[in-house]
Amino acid sequence: MSSKDTPAIRQSKGGVQSVERAFGLLECIANSAGSATLSHIAADVNLPLPTIHRLLNTLVNLGVVRQLPDRGYALGPGLVRLGDIAGSQLGAIARPYLRDLVAELGESANVATMDGDMVVYVDQVASERQMRMFTEVGRRAHMHATGVGKAILAGLDPEQVRHIAATAGMPTPTEHSVGTIGELEAELERIRERGYAIDEQEQELGVRCFAMAIPDAPAPLAISVSGPVSRVDQAFADRAIPLLRSAAAQISSDMRGGV
Amino acid sequence: MSSKDTPAIRQSKGGVQSVERAFGLLECIANSAGSATLSHIAADVNLPLPTIHRLLNTLVNLGVVRQLPDRGYALGPGLVRLGDIAGSQLGAIARPYLRDLVAELGESANVATMDGDMVVYVDQVASERQMRMFTEVGRRAHMHATGVGKAILAGLDPEQVRHIAATAGMPTPTEHSVGTIGELEAELERIRERGYAIDEQEQELGVRCFAMAIPDAPAPLAISVSGPVSRVDQAFADRAIPLLRSAAAQISSDMRGGV
DNA sequence: ATCGAGTTTCCGTATTATGGATAATAACTT
DNA sequence: AAGTTATTATCCATAATACGGAAACTCGAT
């Protein structure tokens, strides 16, 4: 499951070839979890060895890739920094509104984006409560098993949803998780009707979560509030949903407004 | 403070120009917090507009940069993913040992690397205790004010240390923090003698931390255990130091061993 | 000590990125 | 609302740049 995952390297017209190739290599290393040797990479992306070697050298000099003592290549710390900044920038616009949500509702609020076929949490404002959700920023999770993920999926084409479900798979972290594409599609329809997604202990037992997509965002984005089922109940939802709705609207307009 | 931070773009011989330039642009966007407009970027990196535009286009197509509705450019979600994977890969080798440390000592353990002139936490295993350190993965901190940072600094050339202190500055988060280069150098000398670093409430009041650098790591790396001063005392240190030492040695050999 | 898979360097070639000039678009001004 | 400027996007001839075949080298295995 490695020679087909990276379908060579997409070359879009008007793009700079070497840059596209360079990121193809990064993708390739990212997919082959851990290190990847030169020839291993050459097998995946379809390029002559010297070319790959030269590109990798450049990336190593840039600190984006690090070369292991056994000559293998791995993603380097430079990417940690860039990724961190990228995430915080995405989250930065949303943060003040998340803070309001937390202040108002007393539960943790999150922003997540879709990357590839997974959800990535880009920012979180944790509640002050003792027992609270512990969703690390940067964590990745399956779309169908999270509130934010389902909220995002509900805004995509059905075929795109199928494709994501197919490539990422549909594991069921708990017995409440959605397990089949049929169920998922029905669930997404419900989400579209009511305007928000519910994660009913689907990601973790005892945790309920309300999520909503940010309309017209530059990247697929959703926000959520989550907490233990004991506190996050119907009464909570009645207070939370309008707040989520207005937060989503404001974030959306902030993002369109630039800065 | 923006036209001098990015000293054009470093071009190392044997490197692929366009790739180096592309990452120069990413750096530039990263530095100009939030969005950066085309001409703003052109002012920082010293390149003709069409060239920048073409490179940015490529990066946008790759999902690494996103273009805002006001035509500004910002780092995109693709980087979040790569950075996340890069971080977890760096941390992955260390994680099992961190787990052991936490199991044995009952306090949170961290791995951090140096990136630029800052420390970045790449992984953490949190203790099960109620009151625990809340160091998010991906967080950046000043070298001189953290245990891991000082442990790493202790292994660098004095001039490099000076340079880092000069460029990053030396803020003092608490009244215990090291505030001058003189103090720092003395402290680093002590660290070299005893073989580990102590963060004595220098980052946050009430928090003590023992840290040790990973020798011969592919990137500067250090591990630490930290917790409230009430629990993390001399008796704790007596248990912790040998464990840290052996963990560091094992991680080091694992990293040299490849995979 | 010999071999061979995998990695790195070399260098002539032409493919590829380049950037000056120009057009299109947005922002400001009167 | 029309004119003006600043900013961004597109063309395309040029040559500089990245390319990749071939050959040297390194390291682990036999």
Side-chain angles (χ1 to χ4, degrees):
Chain A
M1 57 150 101
S2 64
S3 359
K4 259 306 160 61
D5 295 345
T6 313
I9 284 164
R10 44 192 162 177
Q11 171 138 15
S12 60
K13 94 157 184 52
V16 178
Q17 188 187 63
S18 26
V19 174
E20 284 168 351
R21 287 178 170 185
F23 277 91
L25 296 185
L26 291 179
E27 279 296 332
C28 174
I29 298 176
N31 292 340
S32 11
S35 65
T37 102
L38 183 59
S39 40
H40 188 273
I41 296 174
D44 269 17
V45 297
N46 207 27
L47 292 175
L49 285 172
T51 302
I52 298 175
H53 184 259
R54 183 161 17 83
L55 287 169
L56 283 176
N57 249 4
T58 308
L59 294 172
V60 169
N61 285 333
L62 289 166
V64 170
V65 164
R66 62 185 216 281
Q67 183 158 28
L68 306 173
D70 69 337
R71 292 150 138 219
Y73 294 90
L75 300 184
L79 283 176
V80 177
R81 176 176 130 80
L82 286 174
D84 185 36
I85 294 176
S88 64
Q89 278 181 13
L90 263 187
I93 302 168
R95 174 157 316 158
Y97 299 104
L98 293 195
R99 242 194 272 278
D100 292 351
L101 285 175
V102 172
E104 197 77 37
L105 298 168
E107 299 293 346
S108 300
N110 308 283
V111 210
T113 186
M114 178 177 71
D115 183 55
D117 42 23
M118 294 251 150
V119 161
V120 185
Y121 290 90
V122 294
D123 200 11
Q124 185 205 40
V125 175
S127 81
E128 292 304 320
R129 313 293 283 252
Q130 282 303 319
M131 180 167 66
R132 68 188 199 200
M133 296 309 93
F134 191 57
T135 302
E136 308 103 288
V137 171
R139 209 187 100 211
R140 295 160 62 70
H142 281 265
M143 304 279 293
H144 71 276
T146 59
V148 278
K150 292 194 297 181
I152 291 174
L153 284 179
L156 303 180
D157 307 340
E159 62 180 81
Q160 221 176 332
V161 173
R162 283 175 172 277
H163 181 256
I164 288 169
T167 56
M170 294 188 66
T172 53
T174 79
E175 63 261 38
H176 299 96
S177 307
V178 178
T180 70
I181 307 181
E183 284 180 69
L184 180 59
E185 283 171 344
E187 169 73 357
L188 295 183
E189 186 50 38
R190 273 195 298 278
I191 292 170
R192 277 187 287 269
E193 275 168 23
R194 78 161 94 85
Y196 60 91
I198 305 177
D199 163 2
E200 176 61 43
Q201 310 186 53
E202 294 164 41
Q203 173 74 0
E204 190 176 333
L205 285 178
V207 176
R208 191 176 285 141
C209 160
F210 297 101
M212 202 172 284
I214 309 290
D216 310 313
L221 223 59
I223 57 176
S224 72
V225 286
S226 59
V229 288
S230 53
R231 296 199 302 256
V232 177
D233 52 14
Q234 187 54 49
F236 179 89
D238 293 340
R239 289 190 300 137
I241 299 306
L243 293 174
L244 268 177
R245 200 182 308 280
S246 85
Q250 290 190 270
I251 293 170
S252 172
S253 94
D254 275 17
M255 287 188 165
R256 282 200 309 277
V259 177
Chain B
M1 58 151 90
S2 64
S3 0
K4 257 309 161 55
D5 296 346
T6 313
I9 284 165
R10 45 193 163 177
Q11 170 139 15
S12 61
K13 94 157 185 50
V16 177
Q17 188 188 63
S18 28
V19 175
E20 284 169 350
R21 288 177 169 184
F23 277 93
L25 297 185
L26 291 178
E27 279 296 330
C28 175
I29 298 175
N31 292 339
S32 11
S35 64
T37 99
L38 183 59
S39 42
H40 188 274
I41 296 174
D44 268 18
V45 298
N46 207 26
L47 292 176
L49 284 172
T51 303
I52 298 175
H53 183 261
R54 182 159 19 82
L55 286 169
L56 284 176
N57 248 4
T58 309
L59 294 172
V60 169
N61 286 333
L62 289 165
V64 170
V65 164
R66 61 186 217 281
Q67 184 159 27
L68 307 173
D70 67 339
R71 292 151 138 222
Y73 294 90
L75 301 184
L79 283 176
V80 178
R81 176 175 129 81
L82 286 174
D84 185 37
I85 293 176
S88 66
Q89 279 181 12
L90 263 187
I93 301 169
R95 176 161 310 161
Y97 300 104
L98 292 195
R99 244 194 271 279
D100 291 351
L101 285 175
V102 172
E104 196 77 37
L105 297 168
E107 299 293 346
S108 300
N110 308 283
V111 210
T113 186
M114 178 176 72
D115 182 56
D117 43 22
M118 293 251 152
V119 162
V120 185
Y121 290 89
V122 294
D123 200 12
Q124 186 205 40
V125 176
S127 81
E128 293 304 321
R129 313 292 284 252
Q130 281 303 319
M131 180 166 67
R132 69 189 198 199
M133 295 310 93
F134 191 56
T135 303
E136 309 103 289
V137 171
R139 210 189 100 210
R140 295 161 62 71
H142 280 266
M143 304 279 292
H144 71 278
T146 60
V148 278
K150 293 194 296 181
I152 292 174
L153 285 179
L156 303 180
D157 307 338
E159 62 181 80
Q160 222 177 332
V161 173
R162 283 174 173 278
H163 180 257
I164 289 169
T167 56
M170 293 189 66
T172 53
T174 78
E175 63 261 39
H176 299 96
S177 307
V178 178
T180 69
I181 307 180
E183 283 182 69
L184 179 60
E185 282 172 344
E187 169 73 356
L188 295 182
E189 185 49 38
R190 275 196 295 280
I191 292 170
R192 276 187 288 267
E193 274 167 25
R194 76 162 92 85
Y196 59 92
I198 305 176
D199 163 1
E200 177 60 43
Q201 309 186 52
E202 295 164 40
Q203 173 73 4
E204 190 175 335
L205 285 178
V207 176
R208 191 176 284 141
C209 160
F210 296 101
M212 203 172 284
I214 308 291
D216 310 314
L221 223 61
I223 57 175
S224 72
V225 286
S226 60
V229 288
S230 53
R231 296 199 303 255
V232 178
D233 53 14
Q234 186 55 48
F236 179 88
D238 294 341
R239 289 191 299 136
I241 300 305
L243 293 174
L244 269 177
R245 200 183 307 280
S246 85
Q250 290 189 270
I251 293 169
S252 171
S253 93
D254 275 17
M255 286 188 166
R256 282 199 310 276
V259 177

